[in-house]
Structures are given as C-alpha cells and as structure tokens.
Amino acid sequence: MSGKVLQDGAIIDPDAHRKPASPDGKPTVTVLDYGSGNVRSAVRALERAGAEVILSAKPEDVLNADGLVVPGVGAFETVMNELKAVDAVRMIGRRVAGGRPVLAICVGLQVLFEAGVEHGTVAEGMGEWPGKVELLPADVVPHMGWNTVTVPEGSRLFAGVENERFYFVHSYGVQHWDFDVIQPRMKAPLVTWSEHGAPFIAAVENGPLCATQFHPEKSGDAGARLLRNWVDGLRSSATTSAAEAGTAQPGTPEQTA
C-alpha cells in the first residue's frame, strides 16, 4: 500500500481506482448507487456542473472520488437499510473523517441526523448531526414545489443564489437544530432554513459534509449554480489531497508500510 495516506482511518489515494482525468481536469464525482430511485437526473446535473461522474457503490469509487453525492428518495428507515446493505454508512463516515467532500440530497440529508420518526416508528440515522426527522406540521403534505430559503452569512454552497427558490418534495424534516461546538477552533455548521407549516432545515454546510433537503438537480438555474459551487469546491480539495499525498515522506506516521 505504498503511497497511500491514512487520515483518521480513511485511505486517501488520489490516483487509485479513478476514472482517467478529463483533458479539462474535471473533478471526479461518484453518485452513490444503492437503489434510491431515479438518479440519472443528478448524474446529468453534475456533469453539466463540470464534474466527471460515475454511478457506483463500489468501495474504490466511493472512497477515492473527489466528491461523493448521496441521493435519497423514500422512507427514512428504508433508505438507511439500503445504505447499510452496500456498506455506505461506513464509507460515508470514512470520507467525512478524512475530510473528503460529501453532498447528500433530500432523504440523504435526513439520514445524517440521529433518528427519523415515521408513522410512530423511530429509526436510527447516522448521527452525524443531532436532531430528529419528523412530520411537518402543515395543512398540506407533502411539501411539493418551489420555496424560498434563508441562507446564513458566509455560505459557499449558496453563493450567488441566496435569494432564489429551490424545489422541494418531502413530508418530513428536521425542525430544530442544537449543535454544540466542543473544540474552540471548530467552526459551527452553517444551517439554511425554509418553512412549510413550521421552519425546517433546508441545508447544512459542515466542513466536508454538505446536504440539502431540496433537490438541486430539479431546481433549475439556481440548483445548477449551487451544484457548480460544490463542484468548483472539489477542485481545491483535490489539489490539497494530492499535495498531501505527494509530500508525505516514507517512515512518517501518515504513510502505510
């Protein structure tokens, strides 16, 4: 395993098991293929945003791509079971621990929280963030269609589209945010809100881990710009990872034998 750098248990090798770089140097993105409905629209949207995209659940594709997109359609518990079936929960955790970008969409956002409650049944989530996914207290559900969002200052994901509308399709959401920053140097996550019956979380930006409750791939020009913002961020992330791999010296704790 010479030349591979370990970061918090995640194997980072920018050259391993990757599709050949395009002549334009496009960042590579794996859309996680675990049975979550029609993901072709996400693949096409990411390609238009400037990424080299592969639809896969193979560990080498999931772990070594510059970016990973986790779509999600359906019930919370079903999506969690499908993710576990392809070992995606562990692989997503390894990417996040190693600082490798992940973007989750719709139920993909929801399962990042501690739990989901549907029809009186509580299902365990990944626990990346505190909070519970619950039925929106609105007169009409699902919340389907275009809605505005309230974006926090400093958002990179929403740069240029802070005042735009995005397309939502969901009945459940996270209605409360309670995240304690334990380390003094740790930046608090940026949380974007929307409202349908009550305020709910529309997006989270937390270091390498980002997620949207809405569907950017179905959100017209605003969604296209948001995806382009995320893909553009992969370029600097990939450059940093490659530089770290190239400068690791034999015999240092970061390098494998």
Side-chain angles (χ1 to χ4, degrees):
M1 296 178 64
S2 176
K4 295 186 179 181
V5 179
L6 293 179
Q7 297 181 0
D8 296 329
I11 298 177
I12 307 301
D13 184 352
D15 299 319
H17 306 294
R18 295 254 299 268
K19 296 177 68 176
S22 72
D24 298 326
K26 295 180 180 179
T28 58
V29 172
T30 293
V31 174
L32 187 61
D33 184 17
Y34 66 99
S36 178
N38 180 17
V39 295
R40 296 293 176 180
S41 58
V43 170
R44 291 192 294 269
L46 288 159
E47 289 174 339
R48 290 193 293 268
E52 188 78 12
V53 186
I54 182 173
L55 181 61
S56 176
K58 295 179 180 179
E60 59 267 29
D61 295 327
V62 172
L63 293 172
N64 289 291
D66 295 322
L68 173 68
V69 171
V70 183
V73 177
F76 185 104
E77 186 172 20
T78 299
V79 169
M80 275 299 297
N81 289 337
E82 290 173 341
L83 289 170
K84 291 176 181 177
V86 297
D87 199 27
V89 174
R90 180 185 64 86
M91 291 191 290
I92 292 168
R94 287 178 62 180
R95 282 193 65 95
V96 174
R100 306 284 281 176
V102 175
L103 173 64
I105 297 173
C106 198
V107 184
L109 171 145
Q110 295 179 5
V111 296
L112 292 171
F113 286 85
E114 290 176 317
V117 181
E118 296 188 3
H119 308 295
T121 301
V122 180
E124 183 179 358
M126 295 189 203
E128 291 288 343
W129 299 315
K132 187 180 295 183
V133 180
E134 299 177 289
L135 183 67
L136 295 174
D139 293 335
V140 177
V141 290
H143 172 215
M144 181 181 297
W146 299 83
N147 205 344
T148 57
V149 296
T150 302
V151 179
E153 184 177 353
S155 170
R156 294 184 179 182
L157 198 61
F158 287 88
V161 289
E162 296 90 343
N163 299 314
E164 300 294 334
R165 292 174 177 265
F166 296 87
Y167 189 79
F168 294 83
V169 182
H170 64 118
S171 298
Y172 297 81
V174 180
Q175 299 161 45
H176 306 282
W177 176 261
D178 184 17
F179 187 94
D180 293 327
V181 176
I182 300 174
Q183 301 178 8
R185 294 184 181 181
M186 180 180 177
K187 288 185 178 181
L190 297 179
V191 180
T192 293
W193 294 84
S194 188
E195 186 167 344
H196 184 71
F200 67 87
I201 292 175
V204 181
E205 298 167 69
N206 185 198
L209 183 58
C210 295
T212 65
Q213 176 62 73
F214 56 84
H215 287 270
E217 77 280 10
K218 298 179 181 179
S219 295
D221 292 342
R225 174 63 185 271
L226 183 143
L227 289 176
R228 190 162 64 248
N229 288 343
W230 184 73
V231 169
D232 287 346
L234 299 180
R235 300 179 193 276
S236 58
S237 177
T239 300
T240 300
S241 295
E244 290 175 350
T247 56
Q249 299 298 315
T252 60
E254 290 86 5
Q255 194 165 28
T256 61

